[in-house]
Amino acid sequence: MNIVENFDLFAPRLINKQELLSSGHRACSGCAEVLAVRLMCKALGENTIIASATGCMEIVSSMFPTTAWRVPWIHVAFENTAAVASGVEAGLKALRKKGKIDDRYIKVVGMAGDGGTMDIGFQALSGAMERGHDMIFVCFDNEAYMNTGIQRSSGTPMGASTTTAPAGKVSSGQKTWKKNMAEIMVAHEIPYVATVCPSYPLDFIRKIEKAKSIQGPSYIHCFSMCPTGWRSPSHTAISMGRLAVETGVFPLFEVEHGHYRISPDMPRKLRPIRQYFKPQGRFRHLKDDEIDQIQERVTLEYQKLMGKAKYL
Amino acid sequence: MALKSWKELPIGCVVSDPGSASEYHTGSWRSQRPIWDNAKCIKCGICYVYCPEGCVQQTEDGFFKADLDYCKGCGICSHECWPRAIKMVEEE
Amino acid sequence: MGKRIGMEVAIAVAEAVGLCDIDMAAVYPITPQSHIAEHLSDLVANGEIDAEFVTVESEHSAMSAVIGASGAGARSFTATSSQGLMLMHELLPIASAMRLPICMAIANRAVSGPLNILNDHTDIMPQRDSGWISLFVENGQEAIDLSIQAFKIAEHKDVMLPVCVNIDGFQLTHMVEPFEMPSKEEVEKFLPPFVPHATLHPAKPVTMGAFAMSDYFTEIMKAKNEALKSSKKVILEVWDEWARLFGRAYKPVETYQAEDADVLMLTMGSMGETAQMAIDQLRAKGIKAGLVKLRLWRPFPLAEIKAVLKNVKKLIVTDRAISFGGPGGPVFSEIKSAMYAEARRPLIYNYIYGLGGRDVAVGEFVGMFDKVLADTKNEAADTYEFWGVRE
């Protein structure tokens, strides 16, 4: 592992010390998603309002009458987070213009899981992005409905076993390819789209900061490992994210006003996906030829992405 | 904490005590705890950055420790520590 | 002073809302509500009102966006109808639980299927238990007045609940009527600035919409119920003030020729005016008929209903919706339940009528009275019937 090569020494000095998500939240041990939320808050800072979808992050952080949040936070329902965030943004805009609140700049952020973004929340997200609200939407993608018990979503990768797309005698788990949400957001022609993973905290924080600095809508797709749902030990969350990136399963890139840029953290040569699949219980049933087929697709998709980065 | 009656609830159940989730100590979930060997520690802070609980803190001398009131014992800090300065030991 | 004008009711509602210094509106088009959305966006486009108009991609997002804006402390408005209201359904109890004083105009329309764009009350009835204050209007003047009053009621510090104003689709929304439109100055005097109970702002971070388990859920439901019940006091105060300022009085339950009536009819919404003409015809024939108009649907005006019905022998409850497979129309069930424990209670008849925009003429209201009065053995009491249905 070449952590130190990719990681500045004395990282704490570079990172906002404030913990805007307090300890005492009830996320599972070793949850990479809650770590990603913690890092996101550090990058956003205090002048942020978060609208959260129903999901793991919502229930673990807001057990009434307490809250883990130190930034203003609202939860309404599952599928409407982007719409709620767009309403907060519109409300603030009107109040600021009319002098009813102080004129500080506040970034409105919508956050949801893969189901809340790519499935049930898809329409509200598309609408909010199309309308051009000044907001960031962050999808915390752990590749299934973890909060309800590991059911498949359109973010679940081909071949993964979930409780509604289980591996069985005549099934190899998920039968569909993962929806390419970042590209769908790029197609909305919004100013900024990026993929991030908490295993790369500096890249992560830089991209959130960039999204924060952009007027208008940005979309961040965060790959966050779920030890519970992926059937992998709790200490592996960071290393698994790193493997997803290094195998090209989850490439790190950003698209600013249509221009693609591959993150410097991407290796020159991708590692075989077997290395990423092997330690995870959800892929354990896959046969060699099935892994080969998935490898082919991952390689192809990565080449397509590299092509865009080259020419655009 | 005593449970509130319906009359005592804030309007709309708005929680106006930011970070009050810290009243709940998740440390009781832990089956193993991280132990730092400061002789090996290079003070890089990776353990602090990667902690999902935000419970690893830097002490005045620049070394790190976990707040055991919240540490769930996931082992990420130990696994990611490049100089291998953090060891996970079983709770008794 | 306000001025007398003639105008389409939907447009007048948008004008009235425009007088209320709203900060934000999110409206999705649906017949017969669309004229409200269109005119409101005209007012914003022409700078006549200083508000953000969010052109959402669905009614679900309309309600979500006004919840977000109201949470940020903005005076927020939306309007919808029928399927749009059904799509909002999930969010209505959340808005009231969060105690966000959102105001909504509903151009009442039949719910599918089959698709039907015309008026009845099948859209609002499934929203009965959502925790919203729900008001009905009978004509354009009432639609204007209540649309303005809604903000004052909703935002009162002892209320902080969302309010919906039910305006019969087409039958009211698309009628051109003469009415008195209050002036901007009069509305400013009547309606104080919105002071939210909490806002989403970094100056004082709060958590809205926290997760509650069984240890708190019952208390939260009780608190919400008490808030809705006690909002009636404020509603009455606001109506008193309105009567003083504008000379038009409103009551939770209004009556016409009811004092000495042997038989009463109960209506909601625009049917009241037609029914009133039937009462006049019946009275001319010497029949002691009277009318009860239910304006306040939620909180349900239990005491007022009991007081009005205590001396009458027969009551006809009219419903513009049906609870399929249930004991009758939803208003019928409520009234029966309200009167059950009373020592003196009327025989109650129920007619389901005016569904999907079907006209009910004055003569038909007379026919309902005739039928009930002819039931000397009281055989049809406590049952319901689809009025005018082809057998």
Side-chain angles (χ1 to χ4, degrees), chain A residues 18 32 34 66 130 161 176 178 181 240 248 284 291 297 309:
Chain A
Q18 254 184 323
V34 83
T66 65
E130 172 273 323
S161 183
T176 51
K178 184 183 178 76
M181 198 59 203
M240 210 61 74
R284 202 153 290 153
I291 295 177
R297 172 82 179 227

Side-chain angles (χ1 to χ4, degrees), chain A residues 114-115 141-147 150-153 155-156 162:
Chain A
D114 46 294
D141 179 8
N142 54 22
E143 303 199 314
Y145 290 92
M146 300 312 183
N147 193 36
I150 324 166
Q151 294 87 7
R152 69 83 74 182
S153 76
T156 305
T162 57

Side-chain angles (χ1 to χ4, degrees), chain C residues 170-189:
Chain C
F170 288 114
Q171 259 127 332
L172 282 182
T173 56
H174 286 52
M175 290 300 122
V176 176
E177 290 188 9
F179 33 67
E180 194 172 291
M181 181 67 78
S183 69
K184 179 87 188 152
E185 293 69 38
E186 284 172 328
V187 174
E188 269 170 17
K189 205 176 135 199

Side-chain angles (χ1 to χ4, degrees), chain B:
Chain B
M1 193 172 52
L3 294 172
K4 289 184 169 77
S5 80
W6 70 267
K7 289 176 192 161
E8 296 165 321
L9 296 178
I11 295 177
C13 294
V14 171
V15 184
S16 42
D17 190 4
S20 49
S22 58
E23 289 167 14
Y24 180 65
H25 289 183
T26 51
S28 61
W29 299 12
R30 195 174 55 243
S31 64
Q32 45 178 6
R33 69 167 71 196
I35 304 288
W36 272 258
D37 178 353
N38 287 349
K40 290 182 186 169
C41 175
I42 59 165
K43 301 181 180 176
C44 70
I46 280 175
C47 51
Y48 158 79
V49 173
Y50 280 142
C51 176
E53 310 310 318
C55 74
V56 174
Q57 296 145 357
Q58 193 164 22
T59 54
E60 276 176 18
D61 54 10
F63 293 111
F64 291 86
K65 69 173 173 69
D67 183 340
L68 294 177
D69 280 350
Y70 303 106
C71 172
K72 293 171 187 164
C74 69
I76 286 178
C77 53
S78 165
H79 190 67
E80 296 304 320
C81 178
W82 180 72
R84 307 227 173 279
I86 309 169
K87 193 169 67 179
M88 297 305 290
V89 298
E90 294 296 313
E91 289 285 351
E92 279 156 27

Side-chain angles (χ1 to χ4, degrees), chain A residues 62 64 67 73 79 98 100, chain C residues 23 50 64 90 207-208 211:
Chain A
S62 72
F64 186 80
T67 180
W73 182 91
E79 70 279 51
K98 291 165 117 171
K100 292 181 183 177
Chain C
D23 300 309
D50 191 4
S64 303
E90 182 204 16
T207 286
M208 290 185 178
F211 173 67

Side-chain angles (χ1 to χ4, degrees), chain C residues 157-312:
Chain C
K157 66 174 176 45
D158 298 333
V159 177
M160 288 293 169
L161 282 167
V163 176
C164 63
V165 178
N166 290 277
I167 309 163
D168 283 330
F170 288 114
Q171 259 127 332
L172 282 182
T173 56
H174 286 52
M175 290 300 122
V176 176
E177 290 188 9
F179 33 67
E180 194 172 291
M181 181 67 78
S183 69
K184 179 87 188 152
E185 293 69 38
E186 284 172 328
V187 174
E188 269 170 17
K189 205 176 135 199
F190 168 75
L191 184 62
F194 172 31
V195 183
H197 64 85
T199 60
L200 295 166
H201 195 276
K204 188 180 184 302
V206 296
T207 286
M208 290 185 178
F211 173 67
M213 288 297 277
S214 54
D215 58 347
Y216 269 107
F217 203 80
T218 306
E219 283 67 28
I220 293 168
M221 294 302 105
K222 168 80 176 172
K224 178 170 156 179
N225 190 47
E226 291 301 322
L228 184 55
K229 276 165 66 185
S230 60
S231 70
K232 196 171 83 180
K233 184 172 168 282
V234 172
I235 296 169
L236 295 176
E237 284 169 17
V238 169
W239 282 343
D240 278 349
E241 187 187 351
W242 190 267
R244 281 201 308 279
L245 290 173
F246 298 98
R248 290 185 293 276
Y250 291 93
K251 286 183 194 166
V253 178
E254 289 164 20
T255 56
Y256 179 71
Q257 302 274 36
E259 294 71 24
D260 63 339
D262 294 326
V263 55
L264 282 174
M265 174 180 273
L266 187 142
T267 62
M268 283 168 91
S270 64
M271 287 292 190
E273 289 199 339
T274 322
Q276 203 163 314
M277 292 163 80
I279 302 296
D280 290 343
Q281 289 186 11
L282 290 159
R283 286 272 170 177
K285 287 194 278 185
I287 297 165
K288 282 187 177 174
L291 187 64
V292 179
K293 301 170 183 177
L294 187 54
R295 173 177 310 289
L296 183 61
W297 177 230
R298 280 295 182 275
F300 189 77
L302 208 56
E304 289 85 347
I305 280 287
K306 285 179 182 176
V308 165
L309 301 183
K310 66 178 182 211
N311 292 324
V312 72

Side-chain angles (χ1 to χ4, degrees), chain C residues 76-129:
Chain C
S76 307
F77 174 80
T78 187
T80 192
S81 186
S82 181
Q83 304 309 113
L85 188 58
M86 297 298 268
L87 192 55
M88 288 179 178
H89 179 79
E90 182 204 16
L91 303 166
L92 301 182
I94 303 177
S96 56
M98 293 172 91
R99 305 287 295 277
L100 297 172
I102 294 156
C103 291
M104 170 160 67
I106 303 173
N108 298 104
R109 167 187 138 178
V111 163
S112 298
L115 180 68
N116 171 299
I117 57 163
L118 303 174
N119 170 229
D120 66 26
H121 295 162
T122 51
D123 55 358
I124 184 61
M125 290 303 157
Q127 324 308 330
R128 184 191 65 184
D129 299 338

